[in-house]
Amino acid sequence: MRALGVRLAARLRGGDLVILSGPLGAGKTTLVQGIAEGLKVRGPITSPTFVIARVHPSLVDGPALVHVDAYRLGGDLEVDDLDLDASLEESVTVVEWGEGLVEGLSDERLEIHITRSGGDDDEARSVTLRGVGPRWADTPSDPV
């Protein structure tokens, strides 16, 4: 998952919204750690479950990474309270558990669904990408 995140980071730029979904333990935070590594932002990258959102500034004059965990959010009003749209244009915003909550932030987004391919002890994952809008028109939807 980390290596996939590094590869995805090469395609990301300021203004991008990435929405991650999948069950607990699927690898969402590990994917974000790879994205952060690829973007070369200040870490450490940990799940922001209790702080909801963290901003990781670039170490190389690139876009900051806004890492959000929407698991504890109850709806649109709580998403609005985070004021994510204030930094959306210049940052890469990655939202774990954002499906059904943050799509309204941008007409263009990359949706990533992660599932475990095997049992709970298996490290294999299936990742499906869905690009929305012209920015992501060339995104393959086949599982990775």
Side-chain angles (χ1 to χ4, degrees), residues 16-65:
D16 285 343
L17 173 63
V18 180
I19 302 173
L20 305 179
S21 63
L24 282 171
K28 294 180 293 295
T29 300
T30 303
L31 180 67
V32 178
Q33 289 169 343
I35 291 171
E37 181 181 329
L39 291 176
K40 296 181 180 22
V41 298
R42 187 172 60 210
I45 306 302
T46 58
S47 180
T49 300
F50 295 102
V51 289
I52 311 296
R54 285 196 177 101
V55 177
H56 299 276
S58 176
L59 298 171
V60 295
D61 200 30
L65 170 65

Side-chain angles (χ1 to χ4, degrees), residues 34 72 95:
R72 297 191 181 282
V95 184

